[in-house]
Amino acid sequence: MVGGVEEHLTVGRVAELSGVSVRTLHHYDEIDLVRPSTRTAAGYRAYSAGDVERLREVLAYRRLGFGLREIADLVDDPATDAVAHLRRLRGLLQEQRDRAAAMVTAIDKELEARAMGIRTTPEDQLKVFGARLYEAIGSAYPATRRTEPRIAARIWDALGDARTVLNVGAGTGSYEPPDREVTAVEPSAVMRAQRPAGAAPCVAASAERLPFADQSFDAAMAVSTVHHWPDPVAGLREMRRVARRVVVFTYDASTTGWLQRFWLTRDYLPEFADLLTGWPSLADMTSAIGGHAEPVLIPWDCTDGFFEAHWRRPEAYLDEQVRRAVSVWTRVGPQAEQRAVDSLRDDLSSGRWAERNRDLVALDAAELGLRLLVA
């Protein structure tokens, strides 16, 4: 209330405060999810206090991964008032927090057992690792995984003049272009929950079964995610189905001697090769989208902490936080990880690493197998 008169907010002001786009608000209006119920003195539609309260509930449920139809049913429930919605949201967030904490505890127990040479039963393993890999490692992502602007520029340039973009396997939203209408797809609830305020709307779905009609988007993108898909080729074909243009940032493990090009896999973590058994060749992936592949060099000071990012900063791999945000370390298992870290630490202390890799110091960027697939 301002001077005894209820204050109304314009669409632009609500977009600014809530961190969602005007286009999103218009969409909510069109589907009767949140409709501004009043008008300004100039005749423009505006949001009342009640409208803002409803929008707050919609956005909160959206952040928790609910679909728009589910949200409509929730906010239209006549038996649930604003206080009840807040309590429900609080409970859902606590449940999400507790689920993540329980997963960490379970993983710690599994690691302790393996360190003592005890192999758990298949039943126990399913209980521990039943969630997707990102459910286990996702909480570490915000600390070290962020958009690298030089790689982002390559990806966004490859999107061409696309205005509508589908981001498949979107994670927390890194590399989503800020100047386009983005729709995200992410199967992991943990990752969806960590998408920042104002991020693109995110649908809970898998790459292999995208819930969109043919040619729904100008472009589809996927960044550092294809290696997590159960069927990469099927996922890539789905991207081709729903979009007129496809851009994928991924890894090439089909070149002869590929395991030797990165000192970390060559000298310390040969188990990396086992992770890519059955991985489609670069030719298979480019064929799936009908495109071509371009090499992407990794700058020495890369700000996105993916597996190869610290190729000229080996000390980073000794940092537990850096490793926990990279799925490779979880997938090779604690024994291989500890052996690799211990060996690297020893070689850094003795100067052996520097001697082996002295040529890297003069490089500003390295070719380590990262590829941009464009169709």
Side-chain angles (χ1 to χ4, degrees), residues 296-345:
V296 178
L297 302 186
I298 306 173
W300 76 270
D301 55 349
C302 182
T303 57
D304 186 354
F306 50 75
F307 183 57
E308 300 86 357
H310 307 288
W311 59 270
R312 215 182 84 176
R313 296 167 290 166
E315 295 83 2
Y317 295 105
L318 305 182
D319 187 335
E320 172 78 12
Q321 189 176 50
V322 168
R323 299 197 306 277
R324 289 288 68 80
V326 178
S327 63
V328 168
W329 297 103
T330 300
R331 294 171 68 195
V332 297
Q335 185 175 356
E337 177 182 2
Q338 192 60 56
R339 189 209 65 246
V341 171
D342 289 345
S343 295
L344 176 59
R345 182 181 291 110

Side-chain angles (χ1 to χ4, degrees), residues 141 145 224 227 251 258-259 262-266 268-273 275-276 298 302 304-311 313 316-317 322-323 325-330 332 340 368 370:
Y141 262 59
R145 301 301 298 271
S224 298
H227 54 287
Y251 184 78
W258 64 271
L259 193 67
F262 184 25
W263 56 262
L264 184 54
T265 56
R266 181 192 67 211
Y268 303 98
L269 202 65
E271 291 85 354
F272 181 66
L275 304 183
L276 296 178
I298 306 173
C302 182
D304 186 354
F306 50 75
F307 183 57
E308 300 86 357
H310 307 288
W311 59 270
R313 296 167 290 166
Y317 295 105
V322 168
R323 299 197 306 277
V326 178
S327 63
V328 168
W329 297 103
T330 300
V332 297
L368 296 176
L370 278 297

Side-chain angles (χ1 to χ4, degrees), residues 33 54 57-58 61 70-77 80 85:
L33 185 59
R54 181 181 174 92
E57 293 163 4
V58 167
Y61 284 121
E70 295 172 288
I71 293 172
D73 291 339
L74 289 168
V75 298
D76 287 332
D77 182 358
T80 308
H85 276 299

Side-chain angles (χ1 to χ4, degrees), residues 100 104 132-148 167 169-175 186 188-196 223-229 303-308 310 320-331:
V104 170
R132 293 176 181 272
L133 179 61
Y134 273 148
E135 305 293 328
I137 69 172
S139 59
Y141 262 59
T144 63
R145 301 301 298 271
R146 54 183 68 90
T147 300
E148 162 52 54
N167 186 16
T172 58
S174 296
Y175 297 98
E186 172 54 53
S188 166
V190 169
M191 300 299 279
R192 293 197 304 271
Q194 293 182 88
R195 292 176 64 81
V223 178
S224 298
T225 177
V226 175
H227 54 287
H228 291 296
W229 299 354
T303 57
D304 186 354
F306 50 75
F307 183 57
E308 300 86 357
H310 307 288
E320 172 78 12
Q321 189 176 50
V322 168
R323 299 197 306 277
R324 289 288 68 80
V326 178
S327 63
V328 168
W329 297 103
T330 300
R331 294 171 68 195

